[in-house]
């Protein structure tokens, strides 16, 4: 294959926009060190090295969304208990999970602040559990040093503090570049503990959290989303009234949503996004918050959101056009990794949990992995229908074809007895869509290829999508076991609208979202837009 041949391939198969001869030559240069490269052109094996290499990305890899809209117009990659090294009952608190999350693209870091045993300082830990604490100052330093690769000064000017308590809309991500914002409910002022509130000492007098229910954040046993329902109503569920630690924004029962006279002024001026949980009838506070000049952050549980959208879906979307909505898992769940954020995204919620959830990571592969994804236009429109998506009259906007050719790299990344003690593995691939209910598909699979470290499946899947803006493609590889306990061979997830046409390299990740060094799939993507 000559440079000119490769240029034609980039144009007609890969559908690259205006590829140049220089682009093709760069690919030639990337494989020149291989012994299989011939000076007159690419042989088949050298061509495969390009196809499965780092230059042949499966999705857009740069920031390309409009970053000048108000911050409330974006989904934010949100961490949950960002300081825990393991489960939420007994693991250590540490700065390392914070650093790992920031490097992975997480842009909302959650810290639970509690008084220390001497009541003269504050520490970060999971209240009411056996988790060990970590110093707040260490957590803030971890954020300072790792949130931006080029910023090493102290928070100082990095901390964004609004000039007025009554701003009409949030600044844009572009305007907030290299800045840090704090979002919380201001701690209450108590005269007898005034010394605890000094900002310089890092102290705070946070109130205890009541009705703790255990919850885990380990998704080694992640259930497939096929097993859960977006609209599951558990009549015996008391989440709404007996919140655990997730509901950290709840005001005292005798305090109204906008009453902040008793908060510590030194802290209040540092908070850019004030958090709260209003009480009373849903339609009343939604109307008040939609019309209020003072923008806020509101927290709802999954169950509360499910109940709210039955009659107030459009009001919630309208609320999230100016304000922030944070949605957290049901308190009765022992594995918060099963929380599916799609319902929240459908209604404009900017913050949702899912520390290791594959759909969450897939969604935030968007926009160069910067941690901010612009919401679809239909969620930012001034005219919002009562039902965001009409399940009775869906309109298919896109046909997505996904052809899984082959995979390789396990032989290099795994022990040769990892999958089977006596023979090579029997890999099969699974492909599905996470999205709005009308678009969701069960994971479909190829046949297992027996005794092969580099399996060739050559299998095409097709999906009809009504809301491709919120569709995430999931790909997974398993190793077949006659016992039914298949071994995990890797996974990946990508927003459908970010996929590049043509034959692409798809690197796979382990269960915790870390990329394997060598494991790759070769997949062809074709998106056909309708109407």
């Amino acid at each position: 294959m000559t440079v000119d041949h490769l240029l034609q391939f980039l144009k007609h198969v890969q559908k690259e926009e205006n590829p140049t001869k220089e682009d093709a030559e760069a690919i030639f240069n990337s494989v020149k060190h291989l012994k299989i490269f011939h000076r007159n052109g690419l042989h088949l094996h050298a061509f495969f090295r390009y196809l499965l290499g780092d230059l042949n990305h499966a999705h857009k890899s740069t920031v390309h969304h409009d970053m000048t809209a108000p911050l409330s117009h974006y989904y934010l990659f949100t961490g949950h208990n960002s300081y825990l090294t393991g489960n939420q009952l007994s693991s250590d608190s540490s700065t390392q999970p914070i650093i790992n999350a920031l490097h992975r693209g997480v842009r909302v870091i959650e810290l639970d602040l509690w008084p220390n045993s001497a009541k003269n300082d504050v520490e970060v830990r999971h209240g009411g559990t056996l988790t060990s604490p970590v110093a707040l100052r260490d957590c803030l330093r971890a954020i300072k040093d790792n949130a931006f690769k080029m910023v090493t000064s102290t928070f100082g000017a990095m901390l964004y503090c609004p000039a007025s308590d009554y701003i009409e809309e949030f600044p844009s991500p572009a305007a907030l570049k290299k800045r840090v914002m704090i979002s919380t409910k201001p701690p209450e002022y108590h005269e007898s503990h005034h010394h605890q509130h000094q900002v310089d000492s890092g102290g705070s007098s946070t109130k205890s959290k009541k009705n703790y229910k255990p919850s885990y954040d380990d998704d080694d046993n992640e259930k497939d989303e096929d097993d859960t329902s977006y609209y599951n109503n558990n009549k015996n569920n008391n989440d709404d009234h007996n919140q655990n630690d997730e509901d950290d924004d709840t005001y005292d029962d005798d305090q109204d949503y906008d009453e902040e006279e008793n908060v510590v002024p030194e802290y209040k001026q540092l908070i850019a996004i004030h958090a709260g949980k209003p009480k009373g009838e849903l339609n009343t506070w939604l109307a008040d918050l939609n019309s209020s000049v003072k923008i806020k952050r509101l927290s709802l549980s999954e169950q509360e959101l499910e109940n709210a959208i039955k009659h107030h879906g459009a009001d919630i979307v309208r609320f999230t056009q100016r304000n922030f909505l944070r949605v957290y898992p049901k308190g009765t769940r022992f594995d918060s990794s099963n929380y599916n954020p799609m319902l929240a995204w459908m209604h404009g919620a900017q913050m949702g949990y899912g520390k290791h959830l594959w759909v969450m990571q897939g969604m935030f592969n968007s926009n160069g992995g910067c941690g901010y994804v612009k919401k679809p236009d239909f969620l930012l429109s001034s005219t919002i229908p009562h039902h965001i998506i009409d399940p009775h009259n869906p309109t298919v906007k896109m046909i997505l074809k996904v052809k899984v050719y082959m995979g390789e790299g396990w032989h290099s990344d795994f022990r040769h007895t990892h999958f089977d003690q006596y023979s090579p593995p029997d890999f099969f691939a699974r492909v599905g869509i996470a999205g709005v209910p009308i678009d969701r598909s069960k994971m479909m699979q190829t046949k297992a290829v027996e005794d092969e470290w580099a399996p060739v499946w050559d299998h095409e899947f097709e999906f009809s999508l009504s809301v491709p803006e919120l569709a995430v493609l999931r790909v997974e590889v398993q190793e077949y076991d006659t016992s039914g306990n298949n071994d995990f061979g890797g996974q990946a997830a990508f927003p459908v609208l970010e996929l590049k046409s043509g034959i692409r390299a798809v690197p796979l990740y382990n269960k915790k979202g870390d990329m394997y060094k060598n494991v790759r799939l070769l997949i062809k993507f074709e998106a056909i837009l309708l109407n």
Side-chain angles (χ1 to χ4, degrees):
M1 179 183 280
T2 66
V3 170
D4 288 335
H5 291 150
L6 182 57
L7 181 58
Q8 293 304 308
F9 175 80
L10 295 177
K11 285 181 180 178
H12 301 298
V13 179
Q14 304 297 74
K15 309 293 185 185
E16 297 282 4
E17 294 183 11
N18 303 316
T20 64
K21 195 167 183 175
E22 287 73 22
D23 296 329
E25 289 174 344
I27 293 171
F28 264 58
N29 292 333
S30 72
V31 294
K32 270 188 175 179
H33 66 284
L34 300 174
K35 292 180 181 179
I36 53 178
F37 179 80
H38 192 277
R39 63 186 178 86
N40 293 329
L42 297 181
H43 285 186
L44 181 62
H45 291 301
F47 180 60
F48 261 88
R49 288 306 96 211
Y50 148 65
L51 285 180
L52 285 160
D54 294 335
L55 291 181
N56 192 28
H57 300 293
H59 64 101
K60 299 175 183 177
S61 57
T62 59
V63 176
H64 58 278
H65 293 185
D66 172 20
M67 301 298 280
T68 62
L71 191 61
S72 56
H73 289 195
Y74 300 81
Y75 300 120
L76 279 58
F77 200 171
T78 302
H80 176 39
N81 292 336
S82 309
Y83 50 89
L84 288 181
T85 57
N87 70 61
Q88 299 182 26
L89 284 182
S90 58
S91 67
D92 293 333
S93 299
S94 168
T95 59
Q96 192 58 47
I98 297 172
I99 295 170
N100 295 342
L102 287 167
H103 288 179
R104 191 169 288 161
V106 172
R107 288 296 171 259
V108 180
I109 297 295
E110 181 185 73
L111 304 176
D112 287 330
L113 307 185
W114 290 78
N116 66 357
S117 56
K119 306 296 183 185
N120 62 358
D121 205 346
V122 72
E123 60 191 17
V124 176
R125 61 182 170 87
H126 204 217
T129 69
L130 300 177
T131 57
S132 65
V134 62
L136 173 62
R137 191 177 298 275
D138 291 341
C139 293
L140 296 182
R141 284 175 179 149
I143 295 171
K144 177 202 66 163
D145 293 338
N146 294 276
F148 315 108
K149 293 180 181 178
M150 302 302 292
V151 175
T152 56
S153 60
T154 57
F155 269 159
M158 286 172 59
L159 187 62
Y160 170 79
C161 300
S164 168
D165 194 30
Y166 285 86
I167 54 177
E168 295 189 17
E169 69 176 14
F170 291 109
S172 70
L176 293 166
K177 199 170 184 180
K178 303 294 177 71
R179 304 291 294 275
V180 171
M181 302 174 75
I182 294 177
S183 174
T184 189
K185 173 202 163 190
E188 296 173 23
Y189 178 89
H190 298 286
E191 186 67 35
S192 61
H193 297 125
H194 179 66
H195 65 281
Q196 296 182 23
H197 299 301
Q198 301 306 308
V199 176
D200 291 341
S201 70
S204 175
S205 62
T206 53
K207 65 179 181 181
S208 299
K209 298 179 181 181
K210 299 174 286 185
N211 299 320
Y212 172 75
K213 301 194 196 98
S215 177
Y216 298 90
D217 213 4
D218 175 9
D219 83 334
D220 281 352
N221 298 309
E222 180 195 30
K223 292 182 180 178
D224 195 292
E225 282 87 352
D226 301 338
D227 299 332
T228 62
S229 169
Y230 292 124
Y231 300 97
N232 177 34
N233 278 322
N234 183 350
K235 297 185 186 304
N236 297 319
N237 188 347
N238 292 322
D239 292 350
D240 299 349
H241 304 290
N242 295 311
Q243 299 297 350
N244 64 1
D245 61 301
E246 287 99 340
D247 190 2
D248 65 350
D249 298 333
T250 308
Y251 280 161
D252 291 339
D253 292 338
D254 60 351
Q255 185 181 36
D256 289 330
Y257 186 70
D258 282 324
E259 281 186 4
E260 294 183 355
E261 290 85 351
N262 294 326
V263 304
V264 186
E266 295 96 329
Y267 278 92
K268 185 177 179 181
Q269 66 185 12
L270 300 179
I271 298 172
I273 307 174
H274 285 234
K277 187 176 182 66
K279 61 183 181 179
E281 293 296 324
L282 182 72
N283 56 348
T284 301
W285 56 253
L286 266 180
D288 289 344
L289 291 174
N290 277 323
S291 62
S292 174
V293 174
K294 188 174 184 179
I295 46 184
K296 291 268 191 176
R297 190 193 85 193
L298 171 68
S299 287
L300 293 177
S301 69
E302 275 184 276
Q303 187 69 59
E304 288 172 320
L305 178 64
E306 290 172 3
N307 293 335
I309 63 174
K310 292 177 183 176
H311 303 290
H312 303 285
D315 291 328
I316 295 234
V317 172
R318 193 172 295 109
F319 170 77
T320 61
Q321 290 178 351
R322 293 184 64 246
N323 303 271
F324 275 87
L325 177 59
R326 166 182 169 267
V327 180
Y328 52 87
K330 298 176 181 178
T332 54
R333 285 197 172 162
F334 291 94
D335 184 356
S336 61
S337 67
N338 284 335
Y339 162 62
N340 194 318
M342 196 59 68
L343 184 66
W345 290 337
M346 283 171 57
H347 292 82
Q350 298 89 347
M351 300 180 188
Y353 290 160
K355 184 177 178 183
H356 293 143
L357 187 68
W358 301 343
V359 174
M360 194 87 170
Q361 290 184 327
M363 179 69 164
F364 287 98
N365 272 326
S366 285
N367 203 23
C370 72
Y372 299 92
V373 174
K374 188 79 155 41
K375 291 195 279 190
D377 289 342
F378 69 84
L379 292 177
L380 302 172
S381 171
S382 57
T383 57
I384 305 168
H386 180 68
H387 294 286
I388 306 304
I389 292 97
D390 186 354
H392 304 295
N393 188 28
T395 301
V396 176
K397 295 181 181 178
M398 175 188 288
I399 303 295
L400 177 67
K401 295 182 179 181
V402 179
K403 189 168 187 177
V404 184
Y405 287 116
M406 61 170 291
E408 67 165 29
W410 292 279
H411 195 267
S412 301
D413 287 348
F414 290 83
R415 298 189 318 275
H416 294 177
T417 55
H418 178 88
F419 296 104
D420 196 302
Q421 188 74 26
Y422 303 106
S423 65
D426 308 327
F427 287 123
F428 65 94
R430 305 173 73 226
V431 178
I433 293 289
V436 302
I438 196 70
D439 288 345
R440 279 180 79 232
S441 74
K442 290 184 177 295
M443 297 290 283
M444 299 181 288
Q445 64 189 54
T446 68
K447 292 181 179 180
V449 176
E450 295 184 4
D451 299 336
E452 181 58 67
W453 281 101
V456 176
W457 298 292
D458 202 23
H459 190 109
E460 184 169 87
F461 304 90
E462 185 173 306
F463 305 97
S464 299
L465 303 176
S466 295
V467 189
E469 298 94 334
L470 292 177
V472 174
L473 176 71
R474 285 191 56 196
V475 181
E476 183 182 350
V477 173
Q478 294 186 5
E479 199 271 336
Y480 177 75
D481 192 303
T482 54
S483 69
N485 295 320
N486 298 327
D487 292 318
F488 177 82
Q491 59 85 20
F494 303 100
V496 165
L497 292 187
E498 300 272 323
L499 291 171
K500 300 176 76 171
S501 297
I503 302 169
R504 301 292 177 175
V506 176
L508 296 190
Y509 298 75
N510 64 19
K511 290 181 179 179
K512 294 191 178 300
D514 299 318
M515 185 189 295
Y516 293 124
K517 185 176 180 180
N518 296 288
V519 178
R520 300 282 191 276
L521 301 185
L522 197 61
I523 302 179
K524 183 178 182 180
F525 302 106
E526 182 182 4
I528 304 170
L529 293 173
L530 307 177
N531 301 325

